């Protein structure tokens, strides 16, 4: 039960950090401090970085199978993103979304694997 609480806590913290980073990037773009080209690269980078760090921390707390921790973490994040796109957007099933979700999952798996290998004893 404790692991599930920690897992949910990591996901909620990651989603809040993603939301705040995207809000900051959008605000800087609104006030013309960032160009649209920079924003197009910063948004996905912020999401990938937050998912990698969250998966890294989640993997660091476990003893083995970092790829499974990353897979669970990435799957949960993708499921939440899928629900959000299902409720708020009409075109949620496109090839680019499948590619994007695959990259998110690979990022989470790598974060979990590196987190396991960097664990302190």
């Amino acid at each position: 039960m404790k692991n599930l609480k920690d897992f949910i806590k990591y996901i909620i913290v990651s989603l809040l950090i993603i939301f705040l980073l995207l809000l900051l990037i959008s605000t800087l773009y609104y006030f013309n401090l960032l160009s649209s080209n920079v924003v197009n690269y910063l948004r996905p980078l912020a999401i990938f970085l937050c998912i990698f760090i969250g998966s890294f921390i989640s993997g660091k707390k476990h003893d083995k199978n970092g790829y499974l921790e990353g897979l669970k973490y990435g799957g949960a994040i993708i499921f939440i993103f899928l629900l959000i796109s299902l409720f708020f957007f009409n075109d949620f099933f496109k090839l680019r979304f499948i590619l994007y979700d695959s990259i998110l999952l690979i990022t989470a798996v790598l974060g979990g694997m590196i987190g396991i290998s960097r664990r302190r004893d």
Side-chain angles (χ1 to χ4, degrees):
M1 191 66 168
K2 184 180 185 305
N3 289 338
L4 183 62
K5 286 181 184 179
D6 288 341
F7 184 72
I8 292 172
K9 181 179 75 171
Y10 294 140
I11 288 179
I12 290 173
V13 168
S14 289
L15 290 174
L16 284 175
I17 291 173
I18 288 170
F19 175 74
L20 291 175
L21 280 175
L22 292 179
L23 184 67
L24 176 69
I25 291 169
S26 297
T27 304
L28 292 175
Y29 175 68
Y30 179 75
F31 289 114
N32 291 328
L33 297 174
L34 295 175
S35 69
S36 63
N37 291 333
V38 173
V39 170
N40 288 337
Y41 289 112
L42 278 181
R43 284 181 183 159
L45 183 67
I47 293 172
F48 292 141
L49 189 64
C50 287
I51 289 177
F52 180 82
I53 291 172
S55 179
F56 178 84
I57 293 171
S58 177
K60 207 170 182 182
K61 300 290 182 183
H62 291 83
D63 295 332
K64 57 182 179 175
N65 296 337
Y67 66 94
L68 286 177
E69 291 302 317
L71 197 62
K72 287 190 298 188
Y73 189 85
I77 293 286
I78 289 172
F79 181 72
I80 291 170
F81 285 170
L82 183 67
L83 285 178
I84 290 170
S85 66
L86 181 65
F87 287 126
F88 294 114
F89 306 108
N90 292 333
D91 55 349
F92 70 95
F93 188 74
K94 288 187 177 178
L95 183 62
R96 69 182 176 124
F97 292 134
I98 294 171
L99 180 64
Y100 182 74
D101 290 342
S102 303
I103 294 171
L104 285 177
L105 194 61
I106 290 169
T107 302
V109 168
L110 286 175
M113 288 169 51
I114 293 172
I116 288 285
S117 67
R118 298 285 184 199
R119 189 176 66 85
R120 290 184 224 166
D121 292 323

